[in-house]
mmCIF file with all atom_site columns, all heavy atoms in Angstrom:
data_model
loop_
_atom_site.group_PDB
_atom_site.id
_atom_site.type_symbol
_atom_site.label_atom_id
_atom_site.label_alt_id
_atom_site.label_comp_id
_atom_site.label_asym_id
_atom_site.label_entity_id
_atom_site.label_seq_id
_atom_site.pdbx_PDB_ins_code
_atom_site.Cartn_x
_atom_site.Cartn_y
_atom_site.Cartn_z
_atom_site.occupancy
_atom_site.B_iso_or_equiv
_atom_site.pdbx_formal_charge
_atom_site.auth_seq_id
_atom_site.auth_comp_id
_atom_site.auth_asym_id
_atom_site.auth_atom_id
_atom_site.pdbx_PDB_model_num
ATOM 1   N N   . ALA S 1 12  ? 69.522  110.059 -35.960 1.00 96.00 ? 680 ALA S N   1
ATOM 2   C CA  . ALA S 1 12  ? 70.229  109.050 -35.171 1.00 96.00 ? 680 ALA S CA  1
ATOM 3   C C   . ALA S 1 12  ? 70.987  109.671 -34.009 1.00 96.00 ? 680 ALA S C   1
ATOM 4   O O   . ALA S 1 12  ? 71.008  109.130 -32.901 1.00 96.00 ? 680 ALA S O   1
ATOM 5   C CB  . ALA S 1 12  ? 71.195  108.281 -36.089 1.00 96.00 ? 680 ALA S CB  1
ATOM 6   N N   . ALA S 1 19  ? 67.388  115.480 -27.760 1.00 90.00 ? 687 ALA S N   1
ATOM 7   C CA  . ALA S 1 19  ? 67.232  116.754 -28.487 1.00 90.00 ? 687 ALA S CA  1
ATOM 8   C C   . ALA S 1 19  ? 67.963  117.874 -27.753 1.00 90.00 ? 687 ALA S C   1
ATOM 9   O O   . ALA S 1 19  ? 67.813  118.053 -26.546 1.00 90.00 ? 687 ALA S O   1
ATOM 10  C CB  . ALA S 1 19  ? 65.756  117.086 -28.612 1.00 90.00 ? 687 ALA S CB  1
ATOM 11  N N   . ALA S 1 33  ? 75.455  104.420 -38.871 1.00 96.00 ? 701 ALA S N   1
ATOM 12  C CA  . ALA S 1 33  ? 74.030  104.410 -38.526 1.00 96.00 ? 701 ALA S CA  1
ATOM 13  C C   . ALA S 1 33  ? 73.684  103.149 -37.718 1.00 96.00 ? 701 ALA S C   1
ATOM 14  O O   . ALA S 1 33  ? 72.937  103.218 -36.724 1.00 96.00 ? 701 ALA S O   1
ATOM 15  C CB  . ALA S 1 33  ? 73.181  104.474 -39.792 1.00 96.00 ? 701 ALA S CB  1
ATOM 16  N N   . PRO S 1 50  ? 70.413  81.524  -39.154 1.00 98.00 ? 718 PRO S N   1
ATOM 17  C CA  . PRO S 1 50  ? 70.804  80.598  -40.225 1.00 98.00 ? 718 PRO S CA  1
ATOM 18  C C   . PRO S 1 50  ? 72.073  79.839  -39.878 1.00 98.00 ? 718 PRO S C   1
ATOM 19  O O   . PRO S 1 50  ? 72.913  80.327  -39.107 1.00 98.00 ? 718 PRO S O   1
ATOM 20  C CB  . PRO S 1 50  ? 71.036  81.520  -41.434 1.00 98.00 ? 718 PRO S CB  1
ATOM 21  C CG  . PRO S 1 50  ? 70.267  82.767  -41.125 1.00 98.00 ? 718 PRO S CG  1
ATOM 22  C CD  . PRO S 1 50  ? 70.285  82.921  -39.645 1.00 98.00 ? 718 PRO S CD  1
ATOM 23  N N   . PRO S 1 51  ? 72.232  78.624  -40.434 1.00 98.00 ? 719 PRO S N   1
ATOM 24  C CA  . PRO S 1 51  ? 73.471  77.866  -40.218 1.00 98.00 ? 719 PRO S CA  1
ATOM 25  C C   . PRO S 1 51  ? 74.689  78.708  -40.607 1.00 98.00 ? 719 PRO S C   1
ATOM 26  O O   . PRO S 1 51  ? 74.671  79.454  -41.586 1.00 98.00 ? 719 PRO S O   1
ATOM 27  C CB  . PRO S 1 51  ? 73.308  76.661  -41.154 1.00 98.00 ? 719 PRO S CB  1
ATOM 28  C CG  . PRO S 1 51  ? 71.835  76.504  -41.323 1.00 98.00 ? 719 PRO S CG  1
ATOM 29  C CD  . PRO S 1 51  ? 71.275  77.898  -41.299 1.00 98.00 ? 719 PRO S CD  1
ATOM 30  N N   . PRO S 1 81  ? 71.172  73.111  -21.958 1.00 97.00 ? 749 PRO S N   1
ATOM 31  C CA  . PRO S 1 81  ? 70.207  73.826  -21.114 1.00 97.00 ? 749 PRO S CA  1
ATOM 32  C C   . PRO S 1 81  ? 70.598  73.885  -19.656 1.00 97.00 ? 749 PRO S C   1
ATOM 33  O O   . PRO S 1 81  ? 70.418  74.904  -19.000 1.00 97.00 ? 749 PRO S O   1
ATOM 34  C CB  . PRO S 1 81  ? 68.910  73.028  -21.318 1.00 97.00 ? 749 PRO S CB  1
ATOM 35  C CG  . PRO S 1 81  ? 69.054  72.387  -22.655 1.00 97.00 ? 749 PRO S CG  1
ATOM 36  C CD  . PRO S 1 81  ? 70.510  72.057  -22.787 1.00 97.00 ? 749 PRO S CD  1
ATOM 37  N N   . GLU S 1 82  ? 71.160  72.781  -19.132 1.00 98.00 ? 750 GLU S N   1
ATOM 38  C CA  . GLU S 1 82  ? 71.528  72.784  -17.715 1.00 98.00 ? 750 GLU S CA  1
ATOM 39  C C   . GLU S 1 82  ? 72.685  73.755  -17.440 1.00 98.00 ? 750 GLU S C   1
ATOM 40  O O   . GLU S 1 82  ? 72.727  74.411  -16.386 1.00 98.00 ? 750 GLU S O   1
ATOM 41  C CB  . GLU S 1 82  ? 71.889  71.377  -17.255 1.00 98.00 ? 750 GLU S CB  1
ATOM 42  C CG  . GLU S 1 82  ? 73.064  70.732  -17.947 1.00 98.00 ? 750 GLU S CG  1
ATOM 43  C CD  . GLU S 1 82  ? 72.710  70.000  -19.229 1.00 98.00 ? 750 GLU S CD  1
ATOM 44  O OE1 . GLU S 1 82  ? 71.635  70.283  -19.812 1.00 98.00 ? 750 GLU S OE1 1
ATOM 45  O OE2 . GLU S 1 82  ? 73.497  69.117  -19.635 1.00 98.00 ? 750 GLU S OE2 1
ATOM 46  N N   . GLU S 1 86  ? 72.549  77.257  -15.092 1.00 98.00 ? 754 GLU S N   1
ATOM 47  C CA  . GLU S 1 86  ? 73.492  77.588  -14.028 1.00 98.00 ? 754 GLU S CA  1
ATOM 48  C C   . GLU S 1 86  ? 74.138  78.942  -14.277 1.00 98.00 ? 754 GLU S C   1
ATOM 49  O O   . GLU S 1 86  ? 74.336  79.739  -13.355 1.00 98.00 ? 754 GLU S O   1
ATOM 50  C CB  . GLU S 1 86  ? 74.554  76.500  -13.890 1.00 98.00 ? 754 GLU S CB  1
ATOM 51  C CG  . GLU S 1 86  ? 75.477  76.752  -12.708 1.00 98.00 ? 754 GLU S CG  1
ATOM 52  C CD  . GLU S 1 86  ? 76.311  75.537  -12.314 1.00 98.00 ? 754 GLU S CD  1
ATOM 53  O OE1 . GLU S 1 86  ? 76.074  74.453  -12.856 1.00 98.00 ? 754 GLU S OE1 1
ATOM 54  O OE2 . GLU S 1 86  ? 77.203  75.705  -11.451 1.00 98.00 ? 754 GLU S OE2 1
ATOM 55  N N   . LEU S 1 130 ? 100.241 91.678  -14.430 1.00 97.00 ? 798 LEU S N   1
ATOM 56  C CA  . LEU S 1 130 ? 98.924  92.311  -14.646 1.00 97.00 ? 798 LEU S CA  1
ATOM 57  C C   . LEU S 1 130 ? 98.735  92.741  -16.085 1.00 97.00 ? 798 LEU S C   1
ATOM 58  O O   . LEU S 1 130 ? 97.651  92.630  -16.639 1.00 97.00 ? 798 LEU S O   1
ATOM 59  C CB  . LEU S 1 130 ? 98.785  93.509  -13.709 1.00 97.00 ? 798 LEU S CB  1
ATOM 60  C CG  . LEU S 1 130 ? 97.536  94.364  -13.851 1.00 97.00 ? 798 LEU S CG  1
ATOM 61  C CD1 . LEU S 1 130 ? 96.288  93.561  -13.574 1.00 97.00 ? 798 LEU S CD1 1
ATOM 62  C CD2 . LEU S 1 130 ? 97.618  95.584  -12.930 1.00 97.00 ? 798 LEU S CD2 1
ATOM 63  N N   . LEU S 1 134 ? 95.509  92.260  -18.510 1.00 98.00 ? 802 LEU S N   1
ATOM 64  C CA  . LEU S 1 134 ? 94.811  93.419  -19.073 1.00 98.00 ? 802 LEU S CA  1
ATOM 65  C C   . LEU S 1 134 ? 94.744  93.319  -20.595 1.00 98.00 ? 802 LEU S C   1
ATOM 66  O O   . LEU S 1 134 ? 93.692  93.583  -21.185 1.00 98.00 ? 802 LEU S O   1
ATOM 67  C CB  . LEU S 1 134 ? 95.532  94.699  -18.653 1.00 98.00 ? 802 LEU S CB  1
ATOM 68  C CG  . LEU S 1 134 ? 94.880  96.013  -19.056 1.00 98.00 ? 802 LEU S CG  1
ATOM 69  C CD1 . LEU S 1 134 ? 93.490  96.142  -18.448 1.00 98.00 ? 802 LEU S CD1 1
ATOM 70  C CD2 . LEU S 1 134 ? 95.765  97.202  -18.617 1.00 98.00 ? 802 LEU S CD2 1
ATOM 71  N N   . ASN S 1 146 ? 83.278  93.525  -32.053 1.00 98.00 ? 814 ASN S N   1
ATOM 72  C CA  . ASN S 1 146 ? 83.197  93.214  -33.485 1.00 98.00 ? 814 ASN S CA  1
ATOM 73  C C   . ASN S 1 146 ? 82.050  92.246  -33.754 1.00 98.00 ? 814 ASN S C   1
ATOM 74  O O   . ASN S 1 146 ? 81.308  92.386  -34.729 1.00 98.00 ? 814 ASN S O   1
ATOM 75  C CB  . ASN S 1 146 ? 84.509  92.605  -33.976 1.00 98.00 ? 814 ASN S CB  1
ATOM 76  C CG  . ASN S 1 146 ? 85.337  93.582  -34.808 1.00 98.00 ? 814 ASN S CG  1
ATOM 77  O OD1 . ASN S 1 146 ? 85.261  94.777  -34.598 1.00 98.00 ? 814 ASN S OD1 1
ATOM 78  N ND2 . ASN S 1 146 ? 86.133  93.078  -35.716 1.00 98.00 ? 814 ASN S ND2 1
ATOM 79  N N   . VAL S 1 149 ? 78.639  94.099  -33.572 1.00 98.00 ? 817 VAL S N   1
ATOM 80  C CA  . VAL S 1 149 ? 78.341  94.874  -34.770 1.00 98.00 ? 817 VAL S CA  1
ATOM 81  C C   . VAL S 1 149 ? 77.961  93.954  -35.918 1.00 98.00 ? 817 VAL S C   1
ATOM 82  O O   . VAL S 1 149 ? 77.013  94.221  -36.671 1.00 98.00 ? 817 VAL S O   1
ATOM 83  C CB  . VAL S 1 149 ? 79.532  95.775  -35.142 1.00 98.00 ? 817 VAL S CB  1
ATOM 84  C CG1 . VAL S 1 149 ? 79.281  96.477  -36.485 1.00 98.00 ? 817 VAL S CG1 1
ATOM 85  C CG2 . VAL S 1 149 ? 79.788  96.809  -34.057 1.00 98.00 ? 817 VAL S CG2 1
ATOM 86  N N   . ALA S 1 150 ? 78.676  92.835  -36.057 1.00 98.00 ? 818 ALA S N   1
ATOM 87  C CA  . ALA S 1 150 ? 78.355  91.881  -37.120 1.00 98.00 ? 818 ALA S CA  1
ATOM 88  C C   . ALA S 1 150 ? 76.965  91.319  -36.904 1.00 98.00 ? 818 ALA S C   1
ATOM 89  O O   . ALA S 1 150 ? 76.168  91.214  -37.869 1.00 98.00 ? 818 ALA S O   1
ATOM 90  C CB  . ALA S 1 150 ? 79.395  90.746  -37.132 1.00 98.00 ? 818 ALA S CB  1
ATOM 91  N N   . ALA S 1 163 ? 77.640  90.072  -15.479 1.00 97.00 ? 831 ALA S N   1
ATOM 92  C CA  . ALA S 1 163 ? 77.381  89.447  -14.191 1.00 97.00 ? 831 ALA S CA  1
ATOM 93  C C   . ALA S 1 163 ? 77.939  88.036  -14.107 1.00 97.00 ? 831 ALA S C   1
ATOM 94  O O   . ALA S 1 163 ? 77.898  87.428  -13.017 1.00 97.00 ? 831 ALA S O   1
ATOM 95  C CB  . ALA S 1 163 ? 75.893  89.438  -13.866 1.00 97.00 ? 831 ALA S CB  1
ATOM 96  N N   . ASN S 1 166 ? 80.266  87.530  -11.319 1.00 97.00 ? 834 ASN S N   1
ATOM 97  C CA  . ASN S 1 166 ? 79.839  87.317  -9.955  1.00 97.00 ? 834 ASN S CA  1
ATOM 98  C C   . ASN S 1 166 ? 80.541  86.130  -9.339  1.00 97.00 ? 834 ASN S C   1
ATOM 99  O O   . ASN S 1 166 ? 80.812  86.101  -8.135  1.00 97.00 ? 834 ASN S O   1
ATOM 100 C CB  . ASN S 1 166 ? 78.324  87.082  -9.888  1.00 97.00 ? 834 ASN S CB  1
ATOM 101 C CG  . ASN S 1 166 ? 77.509  88.339  -10.150 1.00 97.00 ? 834 ASN S CG  1
ATOM 102 O OD1 . ASN S 1 166 ? 78.057  89.444  -10.249 1.00 97.00 ? 834 ASN S OD1 1
ATOM 103 N ND2 . ASN S 1 166 ? 76.210  88.176  -10.314 1.00 97.00 ? 834 ASN S ND2 1
ATOM 104 N N   . GLY S 1 198 ? 63.763  96.730  -27.307 1.00 89.00 ? 866 GLY S N   1
ATOM 105 C CA  . GLY S 1 198 ? 64.615  97.687  -26.618 1.00 89.00 ? 866 GLY S CA  1
ATOM 106 C C   . GLY S 1 198 ? 64.555  99.076  -27.234 1.00 89.00 ? 866 GLY S C   1
ATOM 107 O O   . GLY S 1 198 ? 63.904  99.300  -28.260 1.00 89.00 ? 866 GLY S O   1
ATOM 108 N N   . GLU S 1 199 ? 65.227  99.986  -26.617 1.00 92.00 ? 867 GLU S N   1
ATOM 109 C CA  . GLU S 1 199 ? 65.227  101.398 -27.030 1.00 92.00 ? 867 GLU S CA  1
ATOM 110 C C   . GLU S 1 199 ? 66.654  101.909 -26.954 1.00 92.00 ? 867 GLU S C   1
ATOM 111 O O   . GLU S 1 199 ? 67.432  101.485 -26.098 1.00 92.00 ? 867 GLU S O   1
ATOM 112 C CB  . GLU S 1 199 ? 64.317  102.190 -26.095 1.00 92.00 ? 867 GLU S CB  1
ATOM 113 C CG  . GLU S 1 199 ? 64.224  103.656 -26.413 1.00 92.00 ? 867 GLU S CG  1
ATOM 114 C CD  . GLU S 1 199 ? 63.353  104.404 -25.406 1.00 92.00 ? 867 GLU S CD  1
ATOM 115 O OE1 . GLU S 1 199 ? 62.615  103.739 -24.643 1.00 92.00 ? 867 GLU S OE1 1
ATOM 116 O OE2 . GLU S 1 199 ? 63.457  105.646 -25.365 1.00 92.00 ? 867 GLU S OE2 1
ATOM 117 N N   . HIS S 1 211 ? 87.578  115.281 -24.550 1.00 96.00 ? 879 HIS S N   1
ATOM 118 C CA  . HIS S 1 211 ? 88.430  116.347 -24.008 1.00 96.00 ? 879 HIS S CA  1
ATOM 119 C C   . HIS S 1 211 ? 89.434  116.776 -25.085 1.00 96.00 ? 879 HIS S C   1
ATOM 120 O O   . HIS S 1 211 ? 89.939  115.936 -25.818 1.00 96.00 ? 879 HIS S O   1
ATOM 121 C CB  . HIS S 1 211 ? 89.160  115.849 -22.761 1.00 96.00 ? 879 HIS S CB  1
ATOM 122 C CG  . HIS S 1 211 ? 88.247  115.337 -21.708 1.00 96.00 ? 879 HIS S CG  1
ATOM 123 N ND1 . HIS S 1 211 ? 87.659  116.126 -20.756 1.00 96.00 ? 879 HIS S ND1 1
ATOM 124 C CD2 . HIS S 1 211 ? 87.814  114.059 -21.462 1.00 96.00 ? 879 HIS S CD2 1
ATOM 125 C CE1 . HIS S 1 211 ? 86.898  115.396 -19.952 1.00 96.00 ? 879 HIS S CE1 1
ATOM 126 N NE2 . HIS S 1 211 ? 86.957  114.139 -20.370 1.00 96.00 ? 879 HIS S NE2 1
ATOM 127 N N   . GLU S 1 232 ? 63.795  109.903 -17.790 1.00 91.00 ? 900 GLU S N   1
ATOM 128 C CA  . GLU S 1 232 ? 62.698  109.681 -18.698 1.00 91.00 ? 900 GLU S CA  1
ATOM 129 C C   . GLU S 1 232 ? 62.834  108.327 -19.380 1.00 91.00 ? 900 GLU S C   1
ATOM 130 O O   . GLU S 1 232 ? 61.867  107.598 -19.549 1.00 91.00 ? 900 GLU S O   1
ATOM 131 C CB  . GLU S 1 232 ? 62.644  110.807 -19.733 1.00 91.00 ? 900 GLU S CB  1
ATOM 132 C CG  . GLU S 1 232 ? 61.479  110.676 -20.729 1.00 91.00 ? 900 GLU S CG  1
ATOM 133 C CD  . GLU S 1 232 ? 60.113  110.599 -20.048 1.00 91.00 ? 900 GLU S CD  1
ATOM 134 O OE1 . GLU S 1 232 ? 59.936  111.247 -19.004 1.00 91.00 ? 900 GLU S OE1 1
ATOM 135 O OE2 . GLU S 1 232 ? 59.258  109.858 -20.573 1.00 91.00 ? 900 GLU S OE2 1
ATOM 136 N N   . ARG S 1 261 ? 81.969  90.369  -6.665  1.00 95.00 ? 929 ARG S N   1
ATOM 137 C CA  . ARG S 1 261 ? 83.100  90.778  -7.518  1.00 95.00 ? 929 ARG S CA  1
ATOM 138 C C   . ARG S 1 261 ? 84.190  91.519  -6.760  1.00 95.00 ? 929 ARG S C   1
ATOM 139 O O   . ARG S 1 261 ? 85.252  91.788  -7.319  1.00 95.00 ? 929 ARG S O   1
ATOM 140 C CB  . ARG S 1 261 ? 82.588  91.609  -8.712  1.00 95.00 ? 929 ARG S CB  1
ATOM 141 C CG  . ARG S 1 261 ? 81.922  90.726  -9.763  1.00 95.00 ? 929 ARG S CG  1
ATOM 142 C CD  . ARG S 1 261 ? 81.368  91.549  -10.872 1.00 95.00 ? 929 ARG S CD  1
ATOM 143 N NE  . ARG S 1 261 ? 79.911  91.553  -10.866 1.00 95.00 ? 929 ARG S NE  1
ATOM 144 C CZ  . ARG S 1 261 ? 79.147  92.175  -11.767 1.00 95.00 ? 929 ARG S CZ  1
ATOM 145 N NH1 . ARG S 1 261 ? 79.699  92.830  -12.758 1.00 95.00 ? 929 ARG S NH1 1
ATOM 146 N NH2 . ARG S 1 261 ? 77.832  92.137  -11.670 1.00 95.00 ? 929 ARG S NH2 1
#
Side-chain angles (χ1 to χ4, degrees):
E750 61 274 21
E754 186 165 352
L798 175 62
L802 185 60
N814 254 29
V817 174
N834 289 351
E867 180 183 345
H879 304 274
E900 182 56 35
R929 284 177 251 182

